[in-house]
Short mmCIF file of all heavy atoms in Angstrom, two decimals:
data_model
loop_
_atom_site.label_atom_id
_atom_site.label_comp_id
_atom_site.label_asym_id
_atom_site.label_seq_id
_atom_site.Cartn_x
_atom_site.Cartn_y
_atom_site.Cartn_z
N ALA A 1 119.44 66.50 270.21
CA ALA A 1 118.90 67.79 269.81
C ALA A 1 119.15 68.79 270.93
O ALA A 1 118.94 68.49 272.10
CB ALA A 1 117.41 67.67 269.53
N GLY A 2 119.57 69.96 270.54
CA GLY A 2 119.80 71.02 271.51
C GLY A 2 118.50 71.72 271.84
O GLY A 2 117.45 71.46 271.25
N ASN A 3 118.56 72.61 272.80
CA ASN A 3 117.35 73.31 273.23
C ASN A 3 116.74 74.15 272.12
O ASN A 3 115.52 74.21 272.00
CB ASN A 3 117.66 74.18 274.45
CG ASN A 3 117.92 73.35 275.68
OD1 ASN A 3 117.42 72.24 275.80
ND2 ASN A 3 118.70 73.87 276.60
N LEU A 4 117.55 74.80 271.31
CA LEU A 4 117.02 75.60 270.20
C LEU A 4 116.31 74.71 269.19
O LEU A 4 115.20 75.01 268.75
CB LEU A 4 118.13 76.40 269.53
CG LEU A 4 117.69 77.27 268.36
CD1 LEU A 4 116.64 78.28 268.79
CD2 LEU A 4 118.89 77.98 267.76
N GLY A 5 116.94 73.59 268.83
CA GLY A 5 116.32 72.66 267.88
C GLY A 5 115.01 72.10 268.40
O GLY A 5 114.03 71.98 267.66
N LYS A 6 114.98 71.78 269.68
CA LYS A 6 113.74 71.27 270.29
C LYS A 6 112.64 72.33 270.25
O LYS A 6 111.49 72.02 269.95
CB LYS A 6 114.00 70.82 271.73
CG LYS A 6 114.80 69.57 271.84
CD LYS A 6 115.03 69.22 273.30
CE LYS A 6 115.85 67.96 273.44
NZ LYS A 6 116.07 67.61 274.85
N ALA A 7 112.99 73.56 270.54
CA ALA A 7 112.00 74.64 270.55
C ALA A 7 111.46 74.88 269.15
O ALA A 7 110.25 75.08 268.97
CB ALA A 7 112.62 75.92 271.11
N VAL A 8 112.32 74.85 268.16
CA VAL A 8 111.88 75.05 266.77
C VAL A 8 110.98 73.90 266.34
O VAL A 8 109.92 74.12 265.76
CB VAL A 8 113.10 75.21 265.83
CG1 VAL A 8 112.67 75.18 264.38
CG2 VAL A 8 113.84 76.50 266.13
N ALA A 9 111.39 72.67 266.62
CA ALA A 9 110.58 71.51 266.26
C ALA A 9 109.21 71.57 266.93
O ALA A 9 108.18 71.30 266.31
CB ALA A 9 111.30 70.22 266.65
N GLU A 10 109.19 71.95 268.20
CA GLU A 10 107.92 72.05 268.92
C GLU A 10 107.03 73.13 268.33
O GLU A 10 105.81 72.95 268.20
CB GLU A 10 108.18 72.32 270.40
CG GLU A 10 106.95 72.19 271.25
CD GLU A 10 107.27 72.21 272.73
OE1 GLU A 10 108.17 71.47 273.16
OE2 GLU A 10 106.57 72.95 273.44
N ALA A 11 107.59 74.27 267.96
CA ALA A 11 106.80 75.36 267.37
C ALA A 11 106.17 74.91 266.06
O ALA A 11 104.99 75.19 265.80
CB ALA A 11 107.68 76.59 267.15
N PHE A 12 106.94 74.22 265.23
CA PHE A 12 106.38 73.73 263.96
C PHE A 12 105.39 72.60 264.20
O PHE A 12 104.36 72.53 263.52
CB PHE A 12 107.50 73.27 263.01
CG PHE A 12 108.15 74.41 262.28
CD1 PHE A 12 109.41 74.85 262.65
CD2 PHE A 12 107.51 75.05 261.24
CE1 PHE A 12 110.02 75.90 261.99
CE2 PHE A 12 108.10 76.10 260.56
CZ PHE A 12 109.37 76.53 260.94
N ALA A 13 105.67 71.73 265.16
CA ALA A 13 104.74 70.65 265.48
C ALA A 13 103.39 71.20 265.94
O ALA A 13 102.34 70.70 265.55
CB ALA A 13 105.34 69.76 266.57
N ALA A 14 103.43 72.25 266.74
CA ALA A 14 102.19 72.86 267.23
C ALA A 14 101.34 73.41 266.10
O ALA A 14 100.12 73.55 266.24
CB ALA A 14 102.52 73.98 268.23
N ARG A 15 101.98 73.70 264.97
CA ARG A 15 101.26 74.22 263.80
C ARG A 15 100.91 73.11 262.80
O ARG A 15 100.42 73.37 261.72
CB ARG A 15 102.09 75.30 263.13
CG ARG A 15 102.14 76.57 263.95
CD ARG A 15 103.27 77.49 263.52
NE ARG A 15 103.31 78.72 264.30
CZ ARG A 15 103.78 78.83 265.54
NH1 ARG A 15 104.22 77.77 266.16
NH2 ARG A 15 103.79 79.99 266.17
N GLY A 16 101.23 71.87 263.18
CA GLY A 16 100.87 70.73 262.34
C GLY A 16 101.81 70.47 261.17
O GLY A 16 101.46 69.74 260.25
N ALA A 17 103.01 71.03 261.22
CA ALA A 17 103.96 70.85 260.12
C ALA A 17 104.50 69.43 260.11
O ALA A 17 104.54 68.74 261.13
CB ALA A 17 105.12 71.84 260.28
N LYS A 18 104.92 68.97 258.95
CA LYS A 18 105.65 67.72 258.83
C LYS A 18 107.09 68.02 259.23
O LYS A 18 107.64 69.06 258.84
CB LYS A 18 105.58 67.21 257.40
CG LYS A 18 104.17 66.94 256.95
CD LYS A 18 104.12 66.67 255.47
CE LYS A 18 102.68 66.56 255.02
NZ LYS A 18 102.56 66.57 253.57
N LEU A 19 107.71 67.12 259.98
CA LEU A 19 109.03 67.40 260.51
C LEU A 19 110.07 66.39 260.06
O LEU A 19 109.84 65.19 260.11
CB LEU A 19 109.01 67.39 262.04
CG LEU A 19 108.12 68.40 262.74
CD1 LEU A 19 108.22 68.20 264.25
CD2 LEU A 19 108.53 69.81 262.38
N ALA A 20 111.23 66.90 259.68
CA ALA A 20 112.43 66.09 259.50
C ALA A 20 113.34 66.43 260.67
O ALA A 20 113.78 67.56 260.81
CB ALA A 20 113.10 66.41 258.17
N LEU A 21 113.57 65.47 261.54
CA LEU A 21 114.43 65.67 262.71
C LEU A 21 115.78 65.03 262.44
O LEU A 21 115.84 63.90 261.96
CB LEU A 21 113.83 65.00 263.94
CG LEU A 21 112.48 65.47 264.44
CD1 LEU A 21 112.08 64.65 265.66
CD2 LEU A 21 112.52 66.93 264.78
N ALA A 22 116.84 65.75 262.76
CA ALA A 22 118.18 65.20 262.58
C ALA A 22 118.98 65.38 263.87
O ALA A 22 118.88 66.42 264.53
CB ALA A 22 118.90 65.90 261.43
N ASP A 23 119.75 64.36 264.21
CA ASP A 23 120.65 64.42 265.35
C ASP A 23 121.75 63.39 265.13
O ASP A 23 121.51 62.37 264.49
CB ASP A 23 119.91 64.13 266.66
CG ASP A 23 120.68 64.65 267.87
OD1 ASP A 23 121.82 64.20 268.09
OD2 ASP A 23 120.13 65.50 268.58
N ARG A 24 122.93 63.68 265.65
CA ARG A 24 124.04 62.72 265.56
C ARG A 24 123.80 61.51 266.45
O ARG A 24 124.31 60.43 266.19
CB ARG A 24 125.35 63.39 265.96
CG ARG A 24 125.80 64.46 265.02
CD ARG A 24 127.10 65.05 265.49
NE ARG A 24 126.99 65.53 266.87
CZ ARG A 24 127.28 66.74 267.28
NH1 ARG A 24 127.73 67.62 266.43
NH2 ARG A 24 127.14 67.08 268.53
N SER A 25 123.05 61.68 267.50
CA SER A 25 122.82 60.63 268.48
C SER A 25 121.47 59.95 268.26
O SER A 25 120.42 60.60 268.33
CB SER A 25 122.86 61.23 269.89
OG SER A 25 122.31 60.33 270.83
N ARG A 26 121.50 58.65 268.01
CA ARG A 26 120.25 57.89 267.84
C ARG A 26 119.40 57.98 269.11
O ARG A 26 118.18 58.14 269.04
CB ARG A 26 120.58 56.42 267.52
CG ARG A 26 119.40 55.47 267.62
CD ARG A 26 118.25 55.78 266.69
NE ARG A 26 118.60 55.50 265.30
CZ ARG A 26 117.80 55.81 264.28
NH1 ARG A 26 116.62 56.38 264.50
NH2 ARG A 26 118.16 55.58 263.07
N GLU A 27 120.03 57.91 270.27
CA GLU A 27 119.28 57.98 271.54
C GLU A 27 118.56 59.31 271.69
O GLU A 27 117.38 59.35 272.05
CB GLU A 27 120.21 57.75 272.72
CG GLU A 27 120.69 56.32 272.85
CD GLU A 27 121.65 56.15 274.01
OE1 GLU A 27 122.00 57.14 274.68
OE2 GLU A 27 122.05 54.99 274.25
N LYS A 28 119.26 60.41 271.44
CA LYS A 28 118.64 61.74 271.55
C LYS A 28 117.55 61.92 270.50
O LYS A 28 116.49 62.47 270.77
CB LYS A 28 119.68 62.83 271.42
CG LYS A 28 120.61 62.93 272.59
CD LYS A 28 121.62 64.05 272.39
CE LYS A 28 122.59 64.14 273.55
NZ LYS A 28 123.59 65.20 273.35
N LEU A 29 117.81 61.43 269.29
CA LEU A 29 116.83 61.53 268.21
C LEU A 29 115.57 60.76 268.56
O LEU A 29 114.45 61.27 268.41
CB LEU A 29 117.45 61.01 266.91
CG LEU A 29 116.57 61.06 265.67
CD1 LEU A 29 116.24 62.49 265.30
CD2 LEU A 29 117.27 60.36 264.52
N ASP A 30 115.74 59.53 269.02
CA ASP A 30 114.58 58.72 269.39
C ASP A 30 113.78 59.35 270.53
O ASP A 30 112.55 59.34 270.52
CB ASP A 30 115.02 57.30 269.78
CG ASP A 30 115.48 56.48 268.59
OD1 ASP A 30 115.24 56.88 267.44
OD2 ASP A 30 116.11 55.42 268.83
N ALA A 31 114.49 59.92 271.50
CA ALA A 31 113.81 60.56 272.63
C ALA A 31 113.00 61.76 272.17
O ALA A 31 111.84 61.94 272.59
CB ALA A 31 114.82 60.98 273.70
N GLU A 32 113.57 62.56 271.29
CA GLU A 32 112.84 63.74 270.79
C GLU A 32 111.68 63.32 269.92
O GLU A 32 110.59 63.90 269.99
CB GLU A 32 113.79 64.66 270.02
CG GLU A 32 113.14 65.93 269.52
CD GLU A 32 112.60 66.84 270.61
OE1 GLU A 32 112.81 66.59 271.82
OE2 GLU A 32 111.92 67.83 270.25
N HIS A 33 111.88 62.29 269.10
CA HIS A 33 110.79 61.77 268.27
C HIS A 33 109.62 61.31 269.14
O HIS A 33 108.47 61.67 268.89
CB HIS A 33 111.32 60.62 267.41
CG HIS A 33 110.33 60.07 266.45
ND1 HIS A 33 110.55 58.92 265.77
CD2 HIS A 33 109.11 60.49 266.05
CE1 HIS A 33 109.52 58.64 264.99
NE2 HIS A 33 108.63 59.59 265.16
N ARG A 34 109.94 60.54 270.19
CA ARG A 34 108.88 60.07 271.11
C ARG A 34 108.17 61.23 271.80
O ARG A 34 106.95 61.24 271.92
CB ARG A 34 109.48 59.14 272.16
CG ARG A 34 109.66 57.72 271.72
CD ARG A 34 110.01 56.79 272.88
NE ARG A 34 111.17 57.24 273.64
CZ ARG A 34 112.43 56.94 273.33
NH1 ARG A 34 112.70 56.22 272.27
NH2 ARG A 34 113.42 57.38 274.08
N ARG A 35 108.96 62.22 272.24
CA ARG A 35 108.37 63.37 272.94
C ARG A 35 107.38 64.10 272.04
O ARG A 35 106.25 64.41 272.44
CB ARG A 35 109.47 64.33 273.38
CG ARG A 35 108.99 65.49 274.24
CD ARG A 35 110.14 66.43 274.59
NE ARG A 35 110.49 67.29 273.48
CZ ARG A 35 109.86 68.41 273.15
NH1 ARG A 35 108.80 68.81 273.85
NH2 ARG A 35 110.26 69.15 272.14
N LEU A 36 107.77 64.34 270.81
CA LEU A 36 106.89 65.06 269.88
C LEU A 36 105.70 64.19 269.47
O LEU A 36 104.57 64.68 269.39
CB LEU A 36 107.67 65.50 268.64
CG LEU A 36 108.71 66.59 268.89
CD1 LEU A 36 109.62 66.74 267.68
CD2 LEU A 36 108.07 67.90 269.24
N ALA A 37 105.94 62.91 269.22
CA ALA A 37 104.84 62.01 268.83
C ALA A 37 103.83 61.83 269.96
O ALA A 37 102.63 61.71 269.71
CB ALA A 37 105.41 60.67 268.40
N ASP A 38 104.30 61.83 271.20
CA ASP A 38 103.38 61.72 272.34
C ASP A 38 102.52 62.98 272.46
O ASP A 38 101.33 62.91 272.77
CB ASP A 38 104.14 61.50 273.64
CG ASP A 38 104.71 60.09 273.76
OD1 ASP A 38 104.34 59.21 272.95
OD2 ASP A 38 105.56 59.88 274.65
N ALA A 39 103.12 64.13 272.21
CA ALA A 39 102.40 65.40 272.33
C ALA A 39 101.46 65.63 271.14
O ALA A 39 100.39 66.22 271.31
CB ALA A 39 103.39 66.55 272.46
N TRP A 40 101.87 65.20 269.96
CA TRP A 40 101.09 65.39 268.73
C TRP A 40 101.05 64.06 267.98
O TRP A 40 101.81 63.83 267.04
CB TRP A 40 101.71 66.47 267.85
CG TRP A 40 101.64 67.84 268.44
CD1 TRP A 40 100.57 68.69 268.38
CD2 TRP A 40 102.65 68.52 269.17
NE1 TRP A 40 100.87 69.85 269.05
CE2 TRP A 40 102.14 69.78 269.55
CE3 TRP A 40 103.95 68.20 269.57
CZ2 TRP A 40 102.87 70.69 270.28
CZ3 TRP A 40 104.68 69.11 270.30
CH2 TRP A 40 104.14 70.34 270.65
N PRO A 41 100.14 63.15 268.37
CA PRO A 41 100.11 61.79 267.81
C PRO A 41 99.93 61.72 266.29
O PRO A 41 100.38 60.76 265.67
CB PRO A 41 98.93 61.13 268.52
CG PRO A 41 98.73 61.93 269.75
CD PRO A 41 99.16 63.33 269.42
N LYS A 42 99.32 62.69 265.68
CA LYS A 42 99.07 62.65 264.23
C LYS A 42 100.20 63.31 263.43
O LYS A 42 100.15 63.35 262.21
CB LYS A 42 97.74 63.32 263.90
CG LYS A 42 96.56 62.56 264.47
CD LYS A 42 95.26 63.19 264.09
CE LYS A 42 94.12 62.40 264.72
NZ LYS A 42 92.82 62.89 264.30
N LEU A 43 101.21 63.77 264.10
CA LEU A 43 102.31 64.47 263.46
C LEU A 43 103.11 63.51 262.57
O LEU A 43 103.38 62.38 262.94
CB LEU A 43 103.23 65.05 264.54
CG LEU A 43 104.22 66.11 264.11
CD1 LEU A 43 103.51 67.34 263.55
CD2 LEU A 43 105.08 66.52 265.30
N ASN A 44 103.49 63.97 261.39
CA ASN A 44 104.30 63.20 260.45
C ASN A 44 105.76 63.58 260.68
O ASN A 44 106.17 64.70 260.37
CB ASN A 44 103.86 63.52 259.02
CG ASN A 44 104.47 62.59 257.99
OD1 ASN A 44 105.42 61.87 258.26
ND2 ASN A 44 103.91 62.63 256.80
N ILE A 45 106.54 62.65 261.24
CA ILE A 45 107.92 62.93 261.61
C ILE A 45 108.86 61.96 260.90
O ILE A 45 108.64 60.75 260.91
CB ILE A 45 108.13 62.77 263.14
CG1 ILE A 45 107.16 63.66 263.91
CG2 ILE A 45 109.57 63.09 263.52
CD1 ILE A 45 107.14 63.39 265.41
N MET A 46 109.93 62.51 260.32
CA MET A 46 110.98 61.72 259.69
C MET A 46 112.26 61.90 260.49
O MET A 46 112.92 62.93 260.37
CB MET A 46 111.20 62.16 258.24
CG MET A 46 112.27 61.35 257.53
SD MET A 46 112.60 61.93 255.85
CE MET A 46 113.70 63.30 256.21
N PRO A 47 112.60 60.94 261.37
CA PRO A 47 113.85 61.05 262.13
C PRO A 47 115.03 60.53 261.31
O PRO A 47 114.92 59.48 260.66
CB PRO A 47 113.59 60.18 263.35
CG PRO A 47 112.59 59.18 262.91
CD PRO A 47 111.79 59.81 261.81
N VAL A 48 116.14 61.25 261.34
CA VAL A 48 117.33 60.86 260.59
C VAL A 48 118.57 61.06 261.46
O VAL A 48 118.77 62.16 261.99
CB VAL A 48 117.49 61.72 259.31
CG1 VAL A 48 118.74 61.34 258.55
CG2 VAL A 48 116.26 61.61 258.43
N VAL A 49 119.36 60.02 261.60
CA VAL A 49 120.64 60.15 262.31
C VAL A 49 121.61 60.80 261.33
O VAL A 49 121.90 60.25 260.27
CB VAL A 49 121.18 58.79 262.78
CG1 VAL A 49 122.55 58.96 263.41
CG2 VAL A 49 120.22 58.15 263.77
N ALA A 50 122.03 62.02 261.65
CA ALA A 50 122.93 62.76 260.76
C ALA A 50 123.57 63.92 261.51
O ALA A 50 122.96 64.51 262.39
CB ALA A 50 122.15 63.31 259.57
N ALA A 51 124.79 64.21 261.12
CA ALA A 51 125.48 65.41 261.61
C ALA A 51 125.34 66.45 260.50
O ALA A 51 125.78 66.22 259.38
CB ALA A 51 126.94 65.12 261.89
N VAL A 52 124.71 67.54 260.80
CA VAL A 52 124.43 68.55 259.76
C VAL A 52 125.56 69.57 259.64
O VAL A 52 125.33 70.70 259.26
CB VAL A 52 123.07 69.24 260.00
CG1 VAL A 52 121.93 68.26 259.85
CG2 VAL A 52 123.03 69.91 261.36
N SER A 53 126.77 69.13 259.89
CA SER A 53 127.92 70.03 259.80
C SER A 53 128.52 70.12 258.40
O SER A 53 129.38 70.95 258.17
CB SER A 53 129.00 69.59 260.80
OG SER A 53 129.35 68.24 260.56
N SER A 54 128.03 69.29 257.48
CA SER A 54 128.55 69.36 256.11
C SER A 54 127.41 69.63 255.13
O SER A 54 126.28 69.18 255.32
CB SER A 54 129.26 68.07 255.72
OG SER A 54 128.33 67.04 255.46
N ALA A 55 127.73 70.37 254.08
CA ALA A 55 126.72 70.73 253.08
C ALA A 55 126.15 69.49 252.41
O ALA A 55 124.95 69.42 252.13
CB ALA A 55 127.33 71.67 252.04
N GLY A 56 126.99 68.49 252.15
CA GLY A 56 126.51 67.27 251.51
C GLY A 56 125.47 66.55 252.34
O GLY A 56 124.48 66.04 251.82
N THR A 57 125.68 66.50 253.64
CA THR A 57 124.72 65.86 254.55
C THR A 57 123.41 66.62 254.57
O THR A 57 122.34 66.02 254.53
CB THR A 57 125.31 65.76 255.97
OG1 THR A 57 126.51 65.01 255.91
CG2 THR A 57 124.34 65.09 256.92
N VAL A 58 123.49 67.93 254.61
CA VAL A 58 122.28 68.76 254.61
C VAL A 58 121.52 68.59 253.30
O VAL A 58 120.29 68.45 253.29
CB VAL A 58 122.62 70.24 254.88
CG1 VAL A 58 121.39 71.12 254.71
CG2 VAL A 58 123.21 70.40 256.28
N ASP A 59 122.24 68.57 252.18
CA ASP A 59 121.60 68.36 250.87
C ASP A 59 120.88 67.01 250.83
O ASP A 59 119.75 66.92 250.35
CB ASP A 59 122.63 68.43 249.75
CG ASP A 59 123.16 69.83 249.51
OD1 ASP A 59 122.53 70.81 249.99
OD2 ASP A 59 124.21 69.95 248.84
N ALA A 60 121.53 65.97 251.36
CA ALA A 60 120.91 64.64 251.37
C ALA A 60 119.67 64.62 252.27
O ALA A 60 118.67 63.98 251.94
CB ALA A 60 121.93 63.60 251.84
N LEU A 61 119.74 65.32 253.40
CA LEU A 61 118.60 65.40 254.30
C LEU A 61 117.42 66.10 253.63
O LEU A 61 116.28 65.64 253.70
CB LEU A 61 118.99 66.12 255.59
CG LEU A 61 117.91 66.28 256.66
CD1 LEU A 61 117.34 64.96 257.10
CD2 LEU A 61 118.48 67.03 257.85
N PHE A 62 117.71 67.21 252.94
CA PHE A 62 116.64 67.91 252.23
C PHE A 62 116.04 67.04 251.13
O PHE A 62 114.82 67.03 250.93
CB PHE A 62 117.16 69.24 251.65
CG PHE A 62 116.98 70.41 252.56
CD1 PHE A 62 117.86 70.63 253.60
CD2 PHE A 62 115.91 71.28 252.39
CE1 PHE A 62 117.70 71.71 254.46
CE2 PHE A 62 115.74 72.36 253.25
CZ PHE A 62 116.63 72.57 254.28
N ALA A 63 116.88 66.31 250.40
CA ALA A 63 116.39 65.43 249.34
C ALA A 63 115.49 64.34 249.91
O ALA A 63 114.42 64.04 249.34
CB ALA A 63 117.56 64.83 248.57
N ALA A 64 115.89 63.75 251.03
CA ALA A 64 115.08 62.71 251.66
C ALA A 64 113.75 63.28 252.15
O ALA A 64 112.69 62.65 252.00
CB ALA A 64 115.85 62.08 252.82
N ALA A 65 113.78 64.47 252.73
CA ALA A 65 112.54 65.11 253.20
C ALA A 65 111.63 65.44 252.03
O ALA A 65 110.41 65.22 252.09
CB ALA A 65 112.87 66.36 254.00
N ALA A 66 112.19 65.94 250.93
CA ALA A 66 111.37 66.26 249.75
C ALA A 66 110.76 65.00 249.16
O ALA A 66 109.60 65.02 248.73
CB ALA A 66 112.23 66.98 248.71
N GLU A 67 111.51 63.91 249.16
CA GLU A 67 110.97 62.65 248.64
C GLU A 67 109.83 62.15 249.51
O GLU A 67 108.81 61.68 249.02
CB GLU A 67 112.08 61.60 248.57
CG GLU A 67 111.61 60.29 247.96
CD GLU A 67 112.74 59.29 247.80
OE1 GLU A 67 113.86 59.70 247.45
OE2 GLU A 67 112.48 58.10 248.04
N ARG A 68 109.99 62.26 250.82
CA ARG A 68 108.96 61.75 251.74
C ARG A 68 107.74 62.67 251.79
O ARG A 68 106.59 62.21 251.79
CB ARG A 68 109.52 61.60 253.13
CG ARG A 68 108.45 61.17 254.12
CD ARG A 68 109.01 60.64 255.37
NE ARG A 68 107.95 60.39 256.34
CZ ARG A 68 108.15 59.78 257.47
NH1 ARG A 68 109.35 59.33 257.77
NH2 ARG A 68 107.16 59.61 258.32
N PHE A 69 107.98 63.99 251.88
CA PHE A 69 106.88 64.92 252.11
C PHE A 69 106.39 65.61 250.84
O PHE A 69 105.34 66.23 250.85
CB PHE A 69 107.32 66.01 253.11
CG PHE A 69 107.73 65.46 254.45
CD1 PHE A 69 108.89 65.89 255.07
CD2 PHE A 69 106.95 64.53 255.12
CE1 PHE A 69 109.28 65.42 256.31
CE2 PHE A 69 107.33 64.03 256.36
CZ PHE A 69 108.48 64.48 256.96
N GLY A 70 107.17 65.55 249.77
CA GLY A 70 106.76 66.18 248.52
C GLY A 70 107.16 67.63 248.39
O GLY A 70 107.22 68.18 247.32
N GLN A 71 107.46 68.28 249.49
CA GLN A 71 107.82 69.70 249.48
C GLN A 71 108.56 70.03 250.77
O GLN A 71 108.25 69.49 251.82
CB GLN A 71 106.56 70.56 249.38
CG GLN A 71 106.84 72.04 249.41
CD GLN A 71 105.56 72.86 249.29
OE1 GLN A 71 104.52 72.35 248.92
NE2 GLN A 71 105.64 74.10 249.63
N VAL A 72 109.53 70.91 250.64
CA VAL A 72 110.26 71.38 251.83
C VAL A 72 110.20 72.88 251.83
O VAL A 72 110.55 73.53 250.86
CB VAL A 72 111.73 70.90 251.82
CG1 VAL A 72 112.49 71.49 253.00
CG2 VAL A 72 111.81 69.38 251.82
N ASP A 73 109.71 73.44 252.94
CA ASP A 73 109.61 74.90 253.07
C ASP A 73 110.70 75.40 253.99
O ASP A 73 111.09 74.78 254.91
CB ASP A 73 108.26 75.31 253.65
CG ASP A 73 107.11 74.97 252.70
OD1 ASP A 73 107.32 74.94 251.49
OD2 ASP A 73 106.02 74.71 253.21
#
């Protein structure tokens, strides 16, 4: 996750939002998941290894988030 993605995730986490996190790197994704979960233990986080450079991947990510969370804003 880049600095912008981390800042956005943290801003939503601070507001108690459910998060779908995506990164191409499992190591970076796991590290960010742990960082957010440590800071907000009750946070509902869905980590997904994915490159969001294609529309199909983004569509699949949104579908998975909608299935898990019931709604995507």
Side-chain angles (χ1 to χ4, degrees):
N3 290 333
L4 180 59
K6 288 179 181 180
V8 170
E10 190 169 311
F12 279 105
R15 289 163 179 76
K18 299 170 186 168
L19 299 179
L21 298 179
D23 200 300
R24 293 181 305 234
S25 165
R26 167 60 71 186
E27 289 178 356
K28 289 180 182 179
L29 181 65
D30 288 347
E32 183 62 7
H33 184 191
R34 278 191 305 274
R35 186 182 77 81
L36 291 168
D38 287 348
W40 293 277
K42 294 183 181 185
L43 196 61
N44 190 346
I45 304 170
M46 181 183 81
V48 179
V49 176
V52 294
S53 56
S54 75
T57 301
V58 173
D59 289 344
L61 180 58
F62 268 80
E67 183 175 322
R68 176 163 174 172
F69 300 134
Q71 178 180 344
V72 176
D73 294 331

